[in-house]
Amino acid sequence: MATKTLYLGPRLKKLRRELGLTQANMANDLDISPSYIALMERNQRPVTAEMLLKLATTYRINVADLADEDADETAARLQSALRDPLFADIAIEPLDIEDIATSYPGMAEALLRLHTAFGEEQLALAERRDAAATESAGVASSDPVGEARAFLAARRNCFPELDDSAAALSKKLDSFAAMKDHLAENHQLDLRLTDDGLLRGALRWHDYHRRRIHVSERIDQAGRRFQAALQIAILEQEEPIARIVAESRLTSEDGKRLVRRALQSYWAAALLMPYRAFAKAAENLRYDVEALCSRFAVSFEQAVHRLTTLQRPGEEGVPFFFLRVDRAGNVSKRLDGAGFPFARHGGGCPLWNVHTVFDQQNVVDAQLIELPDGERYVSIARTVRGGGGAFGVPRVVRSVAIACSATHMDKLAYGDALKQSDPTPIGVACRLCHRPRCIARSAPPMGREIVPVRFRESGVPFDFSME
């Protein structure tokens, strides 16, 4: 089998500089010419196996230290970025991408940063347009929620650094009791379950002076584990999270606070559902959410939220977007993705199962939906409960849904049944939907003239011209 040609120019140059050597010094040590060192550093000559061995013995280094452990991940990230429609007319071979990642890691990282910044700016621009429209109506334009959403969407809600650090602790911290021991040993904090009288409605409270972490006894086991994991994230992940936020284009302090909270929750979820184990289980179980809940002892909302984060380059799962709404249609959480054109203003379509599942609470519903442009999506929805836990304690019922393109239907446990059903026609919002005979319509579409009903009653809320 032919061996792969190895070009290590940037890493060879980095090694030489770390050793404080000139090209002439290194050439003398390796018994070769300085010009040959220069050629290898410019990737104009490969590093042979004999040269690798000579480098290892001369400078007493491990050959593996010269290999770029991140090259495969960088190549995967580049491939993911280059799938952007922005680059659709540029033919770049996979081998060329690997070459760039291996031979020019600095340039690869620069391209990736620019692409991330571009995506973030595009999303932020859309949010600013919406804010400007809102401001013209007399409302303040600052939108930290939109800014935080743009930040997460530009990164596809995936943070490998946080996934890796959480996975390293996941086997050790696999239960509430294990997390209690970890907090006691590493932070001298006593994790305990506490009644609502002390917490006054809170789910978790860090009593700094008594060195205690109180978690409400009224939340279920999945919630208790998540709150304990979240406390560990707050205590131990401040530095990597601060670094991610510092590298962002966030402008408002509230936006930064929201992103920090999102990243802390991201790490906590990654501790309960380690990336590779969860991604493999999701694929094997065909994204059956209830089965994933059982395997990882997590709630429905925790499981579907984690499914939206499986976009690590080279290890991608099915791309989902996430939505959580209340009975009135207010969106309390949204994670963009999968190409779904969310309505930024106004209500959603009442025919979508994220709204209809309130009629069958705690039952998972799968629906094949079709937008006016013909794009189809699989939507998986169920109600979830917040609050409660005792008689008379206020509670709220919300609906959560994840959806992906129907092109992934064969990968889903829900797809087998949906293949036999007709899609439900929905719109993004009534003002943007031009379906003519929708009985659920609450407003006519923009740009359409209302048709007089003097001689004919159509039975739909709005008759409008399709001319």
Side-chain angles (χ1 to χ4, degrees), residues 176 179 183 191-193 199 202-206 213-217 219-235 264-265 267-269 271-272 302:
F176 186 83
M179 294 182 209
L183 285 166
L191 177 66
R192 55 174 63 181
L193 295 175
L199 288 175
L203 298 180
R204 174 179 43 82
W205 173 39
H206 180 178
I213 305 294
H214 299 276
V215 172
S216 174
E217 66 182 6
I219 58 178
D220 60 19
Q221 290 294 335
R224 293 173 185 180
R225 290 175 64 228
F226 182 81
Q227 289 300 325
L230 184 56
Q231 185 63 60
I232 294 171
I234 291 168
L235 293 169
Q264 289 163 354
S265 296
W267 190 91
L271 182 72
L272 304 183
Q302 288 168 355

Side-chain angles (χ1 to χ4, degrees), residues 47-108:
V47 178
T48 63
E50 181 184 356
M51 184 58 65
L52 267 179
L53 185 59
K54 191 177 288 189
L55 283 164
T57 54
T58 301
Y59 299 116
R60 297 182 179 179
I61 60 171
N62 190 328
V63 172
D65 291 341
L66 276 174
D68 185 358
E69 297 177 355
D70 298 327
D72 289 343
E73 182 174 344
T74 300
R77 289 169 61 203
L78 271 176
Q79 279 188 316
S80 178
L82 291 170
R83 284 197 288 268
D84 191 301
L86 180 68
F87 307 115
D89 61 334
I90 304 174
I92 304 178
E93 297 297 328
L95 284 177
D96 293 337
I97 294 173
E98 289 181 22
D99 228 6
I100 293 168
T102 303
S103 304
Y104 306 101
M107 289 297 295

